[in-house]
Amino acid sequence: MQNITIIRSLPYKYEVEGLDLYDSFEAVATRKIDPEILLPTVSQIESLKKITDSTDVVYISDTRRARETAGFLPKPIIETKLLREVGYSMDDFLDKNSFYEMDCNVNYARKKFFAAYADNRLNETHHGVVRRIEQVFATFEHNDKENIVLISHGFFIKLIEAYVRLPEFRTDPKKLFTIYDGGYPTYKFAGGICLNRNHGIIQFNQILEAI
């Protein structure tokens, strides 16, 4: 049996110098800026190491924040674009004026983002996301390692969770509403999910407690 732990990267600096909050979000979302993580506490680092103590190998997104999160783990690292956050632009779901009319309400923006995904209005389509999730699992399908950690990003991890828990989600993105309404963070930083693969079948195990 394979144990698969998927972790959201440590907190990062999302406000870009010289840009307002909306444009900062846009720069990170469109990968024009690759932000660094904020300095974690000693307890965060120790907790992260404890979560991954028995890990054989770590697959990470090809972003600076995933790379820096993995830097605290004395484990073999494999970097892949497959673990990137879902591809989008702020304009896909929320214009700048509306964002500021709502007093920069991040929860409001997140709900709009989720609705846009469910309606297939983001740069990266639902079909593309499902295909990418399947590629992620295929990457280590024949890996003989028993304990695998993936370091990725919040919304993409939530979509992986939906893919495993809700087979109908694979053809209908609106089924995501069953486990997530978009009005709150997907996971806290360094939180995530635990899965198992047994005889080729991937099953949901539990939500990973955040640091």
Coordinates of all heavy atoms in Angstrom, one line a residue, residues 165-203:
R165 N -12.7 11.7 -3.7 CA -13.9 11.5 -2.9 C -15.2 11.4 -3.7 O -16.2 10.8 -3.3 CB -14.0 12.5 -1.8 CG -12.9 12.5 -0.8 CD -13.1 13.6 0.3 NE -14.2 13.4 1.1 CZ -14.6 14.3 2.0 NH1 -13.9 15.4 2.2 NH2 -15.7 14.1 2.7
L166 N -15.2 12.1 -4.8 CA -16.5 12.3 -5.6 C -16.2 11.9 -7.0 O -15.9 12.8 -7.9 CB -17.0 13.7 -5.5 CG -17.2 14.4 -4.1 CD1 -17.4 15.9 -4.2 CD2 -18.4 13.7 -3.4
P167 N -16.4 10.7 -7.4 CA -16.2 10.3 -8.8 C -17.0 11.1 -9.8 O -16.5 11.4 -10.9 CB -16.6 8.8 -8.8 CG -16.4 8.3 -7.4 CD -16.7 9.5 -6.5
E168 N -18.2 11.5 -9.4 CA -19.0 12.3 -10.3 C -18.4 13.7 -10.6 O -18.7 14.4 -11.6 CB -20.4 12.5 -9.8 CG -20.6 13.2 -8.4 CD -20.4 12.2 -7.2 OE1 -19.8 11.2 -7.3 OE2 -21.0 12.6 -6.2
F169 N -17.5 14.2 -9.7 CA -16.9 15.5 -9.9 C -16.0 15.4 -11.2 O -15.8 16.5 -11.8 CB -16.0 15.8 -8.7 CG -15.0 16.9 -8.9 CD1 -15.3 18.2 -8.9 CD2 -13.6 16.6 -9.1 CE1 -14.4 19.2 -9.2 CE2 -12.7 17.5 -9.4 CZ -13.1 18.9 -9.4
R170 N -15.5 14.3 -11.6 CA -14.6 14.2 -12.7 C -15.3 14.7 -14.0 O -14.6 15.1 -14.9 CB -14.1 12.8 -12.8 CG -13.4 12.3 -11.5 CD -13.0 10.8 -11.5 NE -12.6 10.4 -10.2 CZ -12.3 9.2 -9.9 NH1 -12.2 8.3 -10.8 NH2 -11.9 8.9 -8.6
T171 N -16.6 14.6 -14.1 CA -17.3 15.1 -15.3 C -18.1 16.3 -15.0 O -18.6 17.0 -15.9 CB -18.2 14.0 -15.8 OG1 -19.1 13.5 -14.8 CG2 -17.3 12.8 -16.4
D172 N -18.4 16.6 -13.7 CA -19.2 17.8 -13.3 C -18.5 18.6 -12.2 O -18.6 18.2 -11.1 CB -20.6 17.3 -12.8 CG -21.5 18.4 -12.5 OD1 -21.1 19.6 -12.7 OD2 -22.7 18.1 -12.1
P173 N -17.9 19.7 -12.6 CA -17.2 20.5 -11.6 C -18.1 21.1 -10.5 O -17.6 21.4 -9.4 CB -16.6 21.7 -12.5 CG -17.4 21.7 -13.7 CD -17.8 20.3 -14.0
K174 N -19.4 21.2 -10.8 CA -20.3 21.8 -9.7 C -20.4 20.8 -8.5 O -20.9 21.2 -7.5 CB -21.6 22.1 -10.3 CG -21.6 23.3 -11.3 CD -23.0 23.6 -11.8 CE -23.0 24.9 -12.6 NZ -22.2 24.8 -13.8
K175 N -20.0 19.6 -8.7 CA -20.1 18.6 -7.6 C -19.1 19.0 -6.5 O -19.2 18.5 -5.4 CB -19.8 17.2 -8.1 CG -20.8 16.6 -9.0 CD -22.2 16.5 -8.4 CE -23.2 15.9 -9.4 NZ -24.6 15.9 -8.8
L176 N -18.2 19.9 -6.8 CA -17.3 20.3 -5.7 C -18.0 21.0 -4.6 O -17.6 21.0 -3.4 CB -16.3 21.3 -6.4 CG -15.2 21.9 -5.4 CD1 -14.3 20.8 -4.8 CD2 -14.3 22.8 -6.2
F177 N -19.2 21.6 -4.9 CA -20.0 22.2 -3.8 C -20.3 21.2 -2.7 O -20.6 21.6 -1.6 CB -21.3 22.7 -4.4 CG -21.2 24.0 -5.1 CD1 -21.3 24.1 -6.5 CD2 -21.0 25.2 -4.4 CE1 -21.2 25.3 -7.2 CE2 -20.9 26.4 -5.1 CZ -21.0 26.5 -6.5
T178 N -20.3 19.9 -3.0 CA -20.6 18.9 -2.0 C -19.7 19.0 -0.8 O -20.0 18.7 0.3 CB -20.5 17.5 -2.6 OG1 -21.4 17.5 -3.8 CG2 -21.0 16.4 -1.7
I179 N -18.4 19.3 -1.1 CA -17.4 19.3 0.0 C -16.8 20.7 0.3 O -16.1 20.9 1.3 CB -16.3 18.3 -0.2 CG1 -15.5 18.7 -1.5 CG2 -16.8 16.9 -0.3 CD1 -14.2 17.9 -1.7
Y180 N -17.1 21.7 -0.6 CA -16.5 23.0 -0.4 C -17.4 24.1 -1.1 O -17.7 24.0 -2.2 CB -15.1 23.0 -1.0 CG -14.3 24.3 -1.0 CD1 -14.0 24.8 0.3 CD2 -13.9 24.9 -2.1 CE1 -13.2 26.0 0.4 CE2 -13.2 26.1 -2.0 CZ -12.9 26.6 -0.8 OH -12.1 27.8 -0.7
D181 N -17.7 25.2 -0.3 CA -18.5 26.2 -0.9 C -17.7 27.5 -1.3 O -18.3 28.4 -1.8 CB -19.6 26.6 0.1 CG -19.1 27.4 1.3 OD1 -17.9 27.7 1.4 OD2 -20.0 27.7 2.1
G182 N -16.4 27.4 -1.1 CA -15.6 28.5 -1.6 C -15.5 29.7 -0.7 O -14.7 30.7 -1.0
G183 N -16.2 29.7 0.4 CA -16.3 30.9 1.3 C -15.2 30.9 2.4 O -15.3 31.8 3.3
Y184 N -14.3 30.0 2.4 CA -13.3 30.0 3.4 C -12.0 29.3 2.8 O -12.1 28.6 1.8 CB -13.8 29.2 4.6 CG -14.3 27.8 4.3 CD1 -13.5 26.7 4.3 CD2 -15.6 27.6 3.9 CE1 -13.9 25.4 4.0 CE2 -16.1 26.3 3.6 CZ -15.2 25.2 3.6 OH -15.7 24.0 3.3
P185 N -10.9 29.4 3.4 CA -9.7 28.8 2.9 C -9.8 27.3 2.7 O -10.5 26.6 3.5 CB -8.6 29.2 3.9 CG -9.1 30.4 4.6 CD -10.6 30.2 4.6
T186 N -9.2 26.8 1.7 CA -9.3 25.4 1.4 C -8.7 24.6 2.5 O -9.2 23.6 3.1 CB -8.6 25.0 0.1 OG1 -7.3 25.6 0.1 CG2 -9.3 25.5 -1.1
Y187 N -7.4 24.9 2.9 CA -6.7 24.3 4.0 C -5.8 25.5 4.5 O -5.5 26.4 3.8 CB -5.8 23.2 3.5 CG -6.4 22.2 2.6 CD1 -6.3 22.3 1.3 CD2 -7.2 21.1 3.1 CE1 -6.9 21.4 0.4 CE2 -7.8 20.2 2.3 CZ -7.7 20.4 0.9 OH -8.3 19.5 0.1
K188 N -5.4 25.3 5.8 CA -4.4 26.3 6.3 C -3.1 25.9 5.7 O -2.9 24.8 5.2 CB -4.4 26.2 7.8 CG -5.6 26.8 8.5 CD -5.5 26.8 10.0 CE -6.7 27.4 10.6 NZ -6.6 27.4 12.1
F189 N -2.2 26.8 5.7 CA -0.9 26.5 5.1 C -0.2 25.3 5.9 O -0.3 25.3 7.1 CB 0.1 27.7 5.2 CG -0.4 28.9 4.3 CD1 -1.1 29.9 4.8 CD2 -0.1 28.8 3.0 CE1 -1.5 31.0 4.0 CE2 -0.5 29.8 2.1 CZ -1.2 30.9 2.6
A190 N 0.3 24.4 5.1 CA 0.9 23.2 5.6 C -0.1 22.2 6.0 O 0.2 21.1 6.6 CB 1.9 23.4 6.7
G191 N -1.4 22.5 5.8 CA -2.5 21.5 5.9 C -2.6 20.7 4.6 O -1.9 21.0 3.6
G192 N -3.6 19.8 4.6 CA -3.8 19.1 3.3 C -4.6 17.8 3.5 O -5.5 17.8 4.3
I193 N -4.3 16.8 2.8 CA -5.0 15.6 2.8 C -4.1 14.4 2.8 O -2.9 14.4 2.4 CB -6.0 15.4 1.6 CG1 -5.3 15.6 0.3 CG2 -7.1 16.5 1.7 CD1 -6.1 15.3 -0.9
C194 N -4.6 13.3 3.3 CA -3.9 12.0 3.3 C -4.7 11.0 2.5 O -5.9 10.8 2.7 CB -3.7 11.4 4.7 SG -2.6 12.5 5.8
L195 N -4.0 10.3 1.5 CA -4.7 9.3 0.7 C -3.9 8.0 0.8 O -2.8 8.0 1.3 CB -4.6 9.8 -0.8 CG -5.1 11.2 -1.1 CD1 -4.9 11.5 -2.6 CD2 -6.6 11.3 -0.8
N196 N -4.6 6.9 0.3 CA -3.9 5.6 0.2 C -4.1 5.1 -1.2 O -5.2 5.3 -1.7 CB -4.5 4.7 1.3 CG -4.3 5.1 2.7 OD1 -5.3 5.3 3.4 ND2 -3.1 5.4 3.1
R197 N -3.1 4.4 -1.7 CA -3.3 3.6 -2.9 C -3.1 2.2 -2.6 O -2.1 1.8 -2.1 CB -2.3 4.1 -4.0 CG -2.7 3.5 -5.4 CD -1.5 3.4 -6.3 NE -0.8 4.6 -6.6 CZ -1.0 5.4 -7.6 NH1 -1.9 5.1 -8.6 NH2 -0.3 6.5 -7.8
N198 N -4.2 1.4 -2.9 CA -4.1 -0.1 -2.6 C -4.6 -0.8 -3.8 O -5.7 -0.6 -4.3 CB -5.0 -0.4 -1.4 CG -4.6 -1.7 -0.7 OD1 -3.7 -2.3 -1.1 ND2 -5.4 -2.1 0.3
H199 N -3.7 -1.7 -4.4 CA -4.0 -2.4 -5.6 C -4.5 -1.5 -6.7 O -5.5 -1.8 -7.4 CB -5.1 -3.5 -5.3 CG -4.7 -4.5 -4.2 ND1 -3.6 -5.4 -4.4 CD2 -5.2 -4.7 -3.0 CE1 -3.5 -6.1 -3.3 NE2 -4.4 -5.7 -2.4
G200 N -3.8 -0.3 -6.8 CA -4.1 0.6 -7.9 C -5.3 1.5 -7.6 O -5.5 2.5 -8.4
I201 N -6.0 1.3 -6.5 CA -7.2 2.2 -6.2 C -6.8 3.2 -5.2 O -6.2 2.9 -4.1 CB -8.3 1.3 -5.7 CG1 -8.8 0.4 -6.8 CG2 -9.5 2.2 -5.3 CD1 -9.8 -0.6 -6.3
I202 N -7.0 4.5 -5.5 CA -6.7 5.6 -4.6 C -7.9 5.9 -3.8 O -9.0 6.1 -4.3 CB -6.2 6.8 -5.3 CG1 -4.9 6.5 -6.0 CG2 -6.0 8.0 -4.4 CD1 -4.3 7.6 -6.9
Q203 N -7.7 6.0 -2.4 CA -8.9 6.3 -1.5 C -8.5 7.4 -0.6 O -7.3 7.6 -0.2 CB -9.2 5.0 -0.7 CG -9.7 3.9 -1.5 CD -10.0 2.6 -0.7 OE1 -9.2 2.3 0.2 NE2 -11.1 2.0 -0.9

